[in-house]
Amino acid sequence: MGQDLKAYLDAVKRRKPDELHVVSRPIDPAYEITALVVKLEKERRRRPILLFENVKGTKFPVLTNVHASRSRLALALNCAPDAMLTTYLKAMDKPISPRVVDAAPAQEVVLTGADVDLYALPQIVHHEGDAGPYITSAISFARDPTSETWNCAYNRLMIQGRDTTSIHLTLGKHLWEFQRIAEQRGEVLPLALVIGVHPAIALGALAIGSIDEDERAIMGGLFGEPLELVRCRTSDVLVPAHAEMVLECEILPGKRTAEGPFGEFTGYSLGERQREVVKVRAITHRRDAMFQDITVAHLDHMLLSTIPMEANLYRAVRAMVPSVRAVRVPAPFTCYVAIEQRLVGQAKNAIMAVFGADLYMKRVVVVDHDVDVFDDRQISWALATRCQPDRDITLVTHARGSDLDPSTREDGYTAKWGVDATAKPSLGAYTPRHRVPPQVWERLRLDDFLPQ
Ligand code: MN
């Protein structure tokens, strides 16, 4: 499969023709795009990819909701939906280094100087109360100013002028670290913001791990071949050669501007903050570029981000508890883990592994392997019947978590809790679950007593 978004959309057209809708009727990018995606999901239980050909105020068509289905993401990874975890883990275990090429479709059109105009892009406003138009699908590519360590991340961008945006850098994460290093040296941080990519690139960008892990090599692992990169026209930053569009930028040292409120994945519209300022030096794009939007805080956003999170958490718990059976991220900052507990204390180790592996994790529930973590009722049942709060809750105070959690007093400075909802001292020794005897279950036929 090609590494570009159009190759992926062609595969969707062939394999899932009902899941790509082209809308030619004019649409207002302020609220209407998000409203249509959410209404389709609510009123018709449908979540297709939508391509809006005729968006008011711009020549660029807008593509959204690409990631809103597990089977579509699986198609991007060339695997079955239930094999996504193992496919992702394999890409993390066996990353493939990227390859630099000389010419790229992403640079068919190059705009610099006075031709840089962010207002020519779709001015998408997602939710009521948002401070203005946001770019939600941009993946940042940047290098540590002092080494060859590269990072990719999703960062929301608020359009602030013809060549200016603000950027949300998650406090304490990798791009934030690069920016702090550059700022201490009084330097700009060169970065590129990439818009419109194959979903394998999107999933790879969201890999969670050490700052030394190269997301670009995980993207290669997901493709099964090296990711093709090209050098930016105005900097040494490397970007995917097959992207739809690239903003070549710098984060300015010592500058901040008002950003937000913005409706986020937490389900809240968090208020205004002072954030870093980005200057756009060039815009490059394909001649027929599509502009990609991510319908923020809905399935397009949530499914995309939880698959890489679950893979990383599974890997981290498995390093501590080899008999881990399942991991699920069902809600913001929350993780359920099922383990086959062979030794007392392993549930607590699983809790510590989760907190050590992902900054965002704030609540962990560990259950035995007979509980299905994908069924919230079973989790509630285990919490109610296998847990004593005074004995089984672990509190971690004064830690670092998400800076988007509205319940903290200071952005990102948070307590965390782990709940051991496994049976004590062990599932084998615990009060048995009731059942009718298996031989009766097997013998009895409904039709003998209650004919249809
Ligand atoms: Mn990273």
Side-chain angles (χ1 to χ4, degrees), residues 150-152 174-175 207 209-213 215:
W150 286 82
N151 193 67
C152 300
H174 304 161
L175 185 59
S210 158
I211 195 164
D212 298 314
E213 276 178 272
E215 289 88 357

Side-chain angles (χ1 to χ4, degrees), residues 164-378:
T164 310
T165 76
S166 51
I167 185 165
H168 171 241
L169 307 173
T170 301
L171 299 181
K173 291 215 76 172
H174 304 161
L175 185 59
W176 180 90
E177 177 69 17
F178 290 179
Q179 197 279 330
R180 286 303 183 276
I181 293 169
E183 192 162 63
Q184 274 168 8
R185 294 154 61 117
E187 296 170 1
V188 300
L189 181 75
L191 92 159
L193 298 160
V194 178
I195 298 166
V197 295
H198 189 290
I201 294 177
L203 285 162
L206 286 158
I208 297 168
S210 158
I211 195 164
D212 298 314
E213 276 178 272
D214 188 346
E215 289 88 357
R216 305 168 313 163
I218 294 173
M219 295 167 191
L222 293 172
F223 275 127
E225 64 180 28
L227 174 70
E228 291 194 354
L229 298 172
V230 70
R231 205 166 298 284
C232 283
R233 294 302 179 95
T234 61
S235 75
D236 288 335
V237 176
L238 299 169
V239 290
H242 301 277
E244 295 295 307
M245 182 181 290
V246 178
L247 312 181
E248 300 185 0
C249 313
E250 295 169 343
I251 303 182
L252 304 180
K255 277 251 179 349
R256 300 292 186 272
T257 191
E259 188 255 7
F262 181 65
E264 263 290 1
F265 73 95
T266 55
Y268 295 93
S269 175
L270 205 70
E272 183 184 302
R273 298 285 190 276
Q274 292 291 310
R275 308 254 190 226
E276 288 76 2
V277 177
V278 171
K279 279 285 168 199
V280 182
R281 301 302 182 201
I283 299 177
T284 73
H285 63 80
R286 286 171 173 266
R287 223 165 272 123
D288 56 351
M290 294 176 287
F291 183 90
Q292 191 175 1
D293 171 59
I294 288 180
T295 303
V296 64
H298 298 280
L299 281 164
D300 191 18
H301 184 186
M302 308 310 262
L303 277 178
L304 182 66
S305 52
T306 48
I307 290 160
M309 252 183 225
E310 287 169 357
N312 176 57
L313 292 170
Y314 185 89
R315 179 176 70 157
V317 175
R318 195 163 161 79
M320 280 287 247
V321 184
S323 53
V324 58
R325 290 291 168 257
V327 171
R328 179 185 169 213
V329 174
F333 320 135
T334 303
C335 174
Y336 299 156
V337 182
I339 61 172
E340 188 167 351
Q341 188 158 231
R342 305 198 194 283
L343 297 164
V344 285
Q346 284 186 313
K348 182 87 60 99
N349 286 26
I351 290 167
M352 294 191 291
V354 166
F355 288 150
D358 190 330
L359 178 79
Y360 274 37
M361 287 303 136
K362 178 182 173 191
R363 182 169 73 106
V364 188
V365 179
V366 184
V367 294
D368 293 297
H369 62 281
D370 65 329
V371 175
D372 179 4
V373 296
F374 294 93
D375 181 347
D376 289 322
R377 289 171 61 191
Q378 290 193 38

